[in-house]
Amino acid sequence: MIRIAIALTCLALGMVGIVLLGEYQARDAISLDPQPLLILLVGMGQLIRLMGQSTLGRLLLTGALLPLAVALLSYLLPEYWVSLATWEHLAHPLFPSISLDGWRPSLLTVLGLILLAANAWLGRSPSLGSPLLLGTITLLLIMQCVESLPYASANQVLRYAAPLMQQLALWGLLIAQTVAFLPTWYAERGNLHRPLWPALALVGISLLFWHQQKGLEDRSLRADMHEQNRQLAGRFSQEIHDHLAAMRRFANSWNLLDTPPTSAQWTHQAEPYHRDFRYFLNIAFINLDSRIIRVHPMNLNRQVLGERLFDVQPEGREALSQALFHGREGHTGIVELLQGGPGIIHYLPVISTDDNRPMGAAAMVVSLPVLVGTLFDEIDTKRVFLELRQGETTLASLGPTTGLGPWQYQTSLDVVGHSLKLITRPSRALLLERRARLPVVSLAIGLTLAYLLYLVLYAYRHLALQHRALHRSNAELRNEVQARAKLQQEIEWLARHDELTALPNRRLFMETLKAQTKQRPLSVMICDVDHFKQINDHQGHLIGDRYLKHLGEVGRDVVEEAGGLFARYGGEEFVACLPACNARTAQDIAERLRERIQAENLQHHDGRRLTVSIGLATLENGPLDIATLMQVADEALYRAKASGRDRVVCASNGTSLEAGR
């Protein structure tokens, strides 16, 4: 798997190398795009890490993480904290000929490279979030594919996605890490599902929220720019209206004269209007022969003095005729002015008060380029491109022609009956300055919270597994203790009981007897099954064992009813300890036992009933000597057998009761 990962990493590095070679051939090395360089640096660090050189690999990855962190900060920090101009100034020593938008990698590429470098630096451990990091990178690359689609990338202010070849290289690095780390994850696959999927879901929600936020922010910014365009158009229309009103006042001021104004009068009257409306190239008086006989300012328009407009400017003849011969205002269309450049000329009649006939016309020449420049003094024309058009013809333009943003706005204007278009196009730098950082900040916070959520859930999962293992160990230990205690009880029980009859054995009998040191009277009874060997010989040991068990049950019932202990002494012999029983009481108990056994109808092979012989010994006074007491009881048993069996013999008085008495 490591070899496959190394091969995939080398393939990704080859793709980046092709990109860098193409850029190097296309432009100077000093202006190379740093984005593929960062991808190359991350890939080299990953390759060296996969080859086992941990220290060198981490050093390269750290070198890649530092500029990536700076790039991410440039996306996150507000404009009033660190302006884009400051970022460009900081990067100028390294990238003197590239703007911020040129040297800074795209947003999703920055995030993906940071996570790739961090994951390669940290290693394959699931406890450090390796599965989540690679899952997050996968979602970021998918989002890059979405942002690369034509409908999405055409109107983007920020760069969100890398070019196709660089995206393929990032996919290669991602797949290489996945292949290298997969065996480790597979060993812990049972522990990854619960922490991984909620964290990945949070990553997906963060990306969707970011996508929606950036869309809202773009729409808001576009609305602001459109409103600015509309306001500029309004100012332009208002200015046209204002200077037309001023021109009418100026023309009416000459209607009280009977003769054309002198040069001094004309200069004195025209100077305030020219000062207020700087885009008036000149204010001229034209006689009935269409000659310019008065003009202000003289220094800029001396060459047009004396010109006959019907000859030198025939396109304005109709408008001039309206003022000279019909006493009505006349306005040319957009014409080429004698001073150069496009403009509009307004002709207003000057009427003699005596005969109410035109003496001439006042002409005011409006330069459209100067008008546009005058109106938009408040606009930063270094960051906004302005253009005034009539149809497809550009009448005036201001501002930069490169580095413009993707958005263009236009508003239609009606200028003295002519339809014009005012077009504004803000620069990308202006849009980046005005664009809010909230979408990027929310995405970064969402990814961070998803990583923390994974770590918490993973730690909780491991603690839960450890708790279960401990609980299971405790349960097993408890069961083991219980089993051992039960076994110990069984051993202790077997040590003091007979396994066949479940009666106390000789040891328990002797312990019980020793415990009766101060009990007087104390009787001991020894029972022996008559001719038991014949049962085993003729009917088998199974029958013999069954008879012994039955005898034990009968003996226990009889003896324990009297408060004594009935035990198997060995073989076919049984013993009983009868505390507080004198000789007569013990003899009655023994006789009752003999009769009960005889009544059970246990038979020999020849039909004879099974019987027992019993010997009794009673200690009335004196110290307890167990050996002597047992010896006396055994001698009484011997006498019972010698006397014909099936009888009880009491050693205390030597008498015996035969069966049936």
Side-chain angles (χ1 to χ4, degrees):
M1 300 296 281
I2 295 296
R3 292 181 179 178
I4 297 175
I6 291 174
L8 290 171
T9 304
C10 292
L11 179 62
L13 292 176
M15 294 179 183
V16 180
I18 293 173
V19 173
L20 287 173
L21 181 61
E23 290 191 355
Y24 184 82
Q25 293 175 347
R27 51 184 175 175
D28 296 335
I30 196 170
S31 62
L32 287 178
D33 184 0
Q35 182 166 280
L37 293 174
L38 291 172
I39 298 176
L40 181 66
L41 191 58
V42 172
M44 290 296 297
Q46 175 177 312
L47 178 62
I48 293 174
R49 282 277 285 159
L50 291 174
M51 295 174 65
Q53 299 295 326
S54 177
T55 303
L56 180 58
R58 285 182 171 175
L59 185 62
L60 290 175
L61 292 170
T62 303
L65 283 171
L66 291 177
L68 287 171
V70 173
L72 182 60
L73 284 176
S74 70
Y75 281 110
L76 293 173
L77 296 182
E79 177 71 14
Y80 58 86
W81 284 15
V82 183
S83 66
L84 295 182
T86 304
W87 287 115
E88 290 187 353
H89 179 72
L90 293 175
H92 184 75
L94 295 177
F95 309 106
S97 60
I98 306 179
S99 64
L100 171 68
D101 201 39
W103 70 260
R104 183 174 62 177
S106 60
L107 173 62
L108 297 178
T109 303
V110 169
L111 293 172
L113 283 175
I114 288 176
L115 297 182
L116 276 170
N119 195 46
W121 201 96
L122 294 172
R124 66 190 70 189
S125 174
S127 62
L128 297 177
S130 180
L132 176 66
L133 292 178
L134 292 186
T136 303
I137 297 167
T138 302
L139 294 178
L140 289 173
L141 289 177
I142 292 174
M143 186 60 72
Q144 281 205 53
C145 295
V146 174
E147 295 295 335
S148 299
L149 297 176
Y151 79 91
S153 60
N155 295 317
Q156 288 179 352
V157 177
L158 283 176
R159 285 200 305 166
Y160 297 114
L164 178 60
M165 188 66 76
Q166 296 179 34
Q167 288 188 44
L168 293 177
L170 292 173
W171 277 108
L173 296 178
L174 169 66
I175 296 173
Q177 284 194 19
T178 305
V179 170
F181 298 166
L182 196 58
T184 303
W185 304 344
Y186 186 79
E188 290 196 40
R189 61 189 183 279
N191 301 330
L192 294 180
H193 297 296
R194 292 189 178 181
L196 180 59
W197 295 118
L200 275 180
L202 182 56
V203 171
I205 292 172
S206 300
L207 283 171
L208 292 176
F209 183 68
W210 164 78
H211 190 269
Q212 182 189 30
Q213 269 195 322
K214 79 176 182 63
L216 293 174
E217 179 59 31
D218 286 346
R219 285 194 289 273
S220 175
L221 189 56
R222 292 186 72 166
D224 291 343
M225 294 292 102
H226 183 71
E227 177 62 21
Q228 181 177 334
N229 175 268
R230 192 188 64 78
Q231 291 177 0
L232 289 176
R235 288 175 56 191
F236 189 92
S237 298
Q238 184 63 39
E239 189 68 21
I240 295 293
H241 178 272
D242 290 344
H243 82 243
L244 282 175
M247 289 169 53
R248 294 186 182 105
R249 291 193 302 270
F250 178 80
N252 290 333
S253 66
W254 301 107
N255 290 337
L256 299 177
L257 299 178
D258 295 331
T259 59
T262 65
S263 177
Q265 290 174 331
W266 190 259
T267 300
H268 176 75
Q269 194 74 7
E271 173 61 27
Y273 288 92
H274 183 267
R275 185 173 57 249
D276 293 340
F277 301 99
R278 291 185 292 112
Y279 45 83
F280 285 168
L281 288 186
N282 63 57
I283 302 175
F285 181 78
I286 302 167
N287 64 15
L288 295 177
D289 191 31
S290 77
R291 292 186 183 277
I292 302 175
I293 62 173
R294 303 284 185 265
V295 66
H296 180 81
M298 180 64 74
N299 58 338
L300 298 178
N301 299 279
R302 192 177 302 276
Q303 71 277 11
V304 300
L305 193 63
E307 294 285 352
R308 189 171 186 272
L309 293 181
F310 283 166
D311 297 331
V312 298
Q313 201 171 49
E315 61 269 25
R317 180 178 299 174
E318 182 179 354
L320 180 57
S321 298
Q322 292 289 329
L324 291 178
F325 307 127
H326 302 289
R328 295 192 298 266
E329 291 183 10
H331 309 281
T332 67
I334 308 298
V335 298
E336 183 69 20
L337 302 177
L338 297 180
Q339 295 84 354
I344 301 175
I345 304 175
H346 303 284
Y347 296 108
L348 289 90
V350 177
I351 307 297
S352 173
T353 57
D354 291 340
D355 52 10
N356 200 28
R357 288 185 304 103
M359 292 187 300
M364 295 190 177
V365 180
V366 178
S367 172
L368 290 178
V370 179
L371 173 60
V372 171
T374 302
L375 288 178
F376 304 144
D377 284 342
E378 299 178 3
I379 303 299
D380 186 359
T381 53
K382 294 181 179 180
R383 300 199 169 206
V384 179
F385 174 74
L386 303 169
E387 186 177 19
L388 188 65
R389 285 185 184 179
Q390 184 180 34
E392 298 299 323
T393 303
T394 299
L395 303 177
S397 63
L398 290 173
T401 57
T402 59
L404 298 178
W407 304 335
Q408 177 176 292
Y409 310 93
Q410 66 179 27
T411 302
S412 296
L413 301 172
D414 184 13
V415 179
V416 292
H418 300 280
S419 179
L420 304 181
K421 291 181 181 179
L422 178 64
I423 297 173
T424 59
R425 189 173 180 182
S427 67
R428 188 176 293 273
L430 178 63
L431 295 176
L432 291 177
E433 285 181 2
R434 295 192 179 183
R435 197 174 191 278
R437 308 302 195 265
L438 182 60
V440 182
V441 172
S442 64
L443 177 59
I445 292 175
L447 297 183
T448 303
L449 290 178
Y451 183 72
L452 295 177
L453 175 64
Y454 173 87
L455 295 181
V456 170
L457 292 178
Y458 187 87
Y460 177 79
R461 174 68 174 168
H462 265 258
L463 288 176
L465 291 176
Q466 292 176 359
H467 177 74
R468 290 176 189 170
L470 181 61
H471 181 73
R472 187 166 53 251
S473 298
N474 289 338
E476 291 175 355
L477 181 61
R478 187 164 51 251
N479 293 336
E480 182 70 18
V481 170
Q482 292 175 353
R484 288 178 177 270
K486 184 177 180 181
L487 181 61
Q488 182 67 26
Q489 291 175 357
E490 291 178 356
I491 293 173
E492 292 177 356
W493 187 88
L494 289 174
R496 290 174 171 79
H497 292 80
D498 175 57
E499 187 175 3
L500 176 63
T501 61
L503 293 174
N505 60 9
R506 181 172 181 170
R507 174 181 293 181
L508 183 55
F509 172 77
M510 297 302 290
E511 290 176 356
T512 304
L513 196 58
K514 287 179 181 178
Q516 308 301 323
T517 304
K518 298 181 179 180
Q519 182 64 51
R520 301 292 182 274
L522 177 63
S523 297
V524 173
M525 178 173 58
I526 300 179
C527 306
D528 185 77
V529 181
D530 296 333
H531 304 296
F532 185 75
K533 185 174 181 303
Q534 294 178 4
I535 294 175
N536 287 334
D537 292 343
H538 292 88
Q539 299 183 53
H541 289 278
L542 291 178
I543 298 298
D545 290 345
R546 183 166 63 83
Y547 283 6
L548 289 175
K549 289 175 65 176
H550 198 72
L551 289 173
E553 293 172 359
V554 173
R556 173 181 287 173
D557 290 343
V558 174
V559 173
E560 289 185 357
E561 184 181 355
L565 175 72
F566 190 73
R568 186 179 179 189
Y569 201 61
E572 68 273 16
E573 286 188 340
F574 295 88
V575 293
C577 175
L578 299 169
C581 289
N582 56 27
R584 186 61 189 173
T585 303
Q587 190 172 3
D588 292 340
I589 294 171
E591 186 62 30
R592 191 161 57 251
L593 174 60
R594 184 189 67 79
E595 292 174 352
R596 281 280 306 274
I597 291 174
Q598 191 179 50
E600 291 297 320
N601 198 25
L602 302 175
Q603 298 180 353
H604 286 270
H605 68 286
D606 55 2
R608 289 181 294 114
R609 291 187 177 184
L610 186 68
T611 60
V612 295
S613 298
I614 302 174
L616 283 173
T618 301
L619 178 64
E620 297 288 349
N621 296 297
L624 174 62
D625 187 347
I626 295 176
T628 302
L629 185 61
M630 293 299 296
Q631 180 65 32
V632 171
D634 189 59
E635 290 176 355
L637 175 61
Y638 178 76
R639 288 198 299 274
K641 288 185 177 183
S643 301
R645 294 183 171 84
D646 190 22
R647 65 192 65 235
V648 177
V649 174
C650 183
S652 59
N653 53 19
T655 62
S656 65
L657 298 175
E658 294 181 0
R661 291 184 180 179

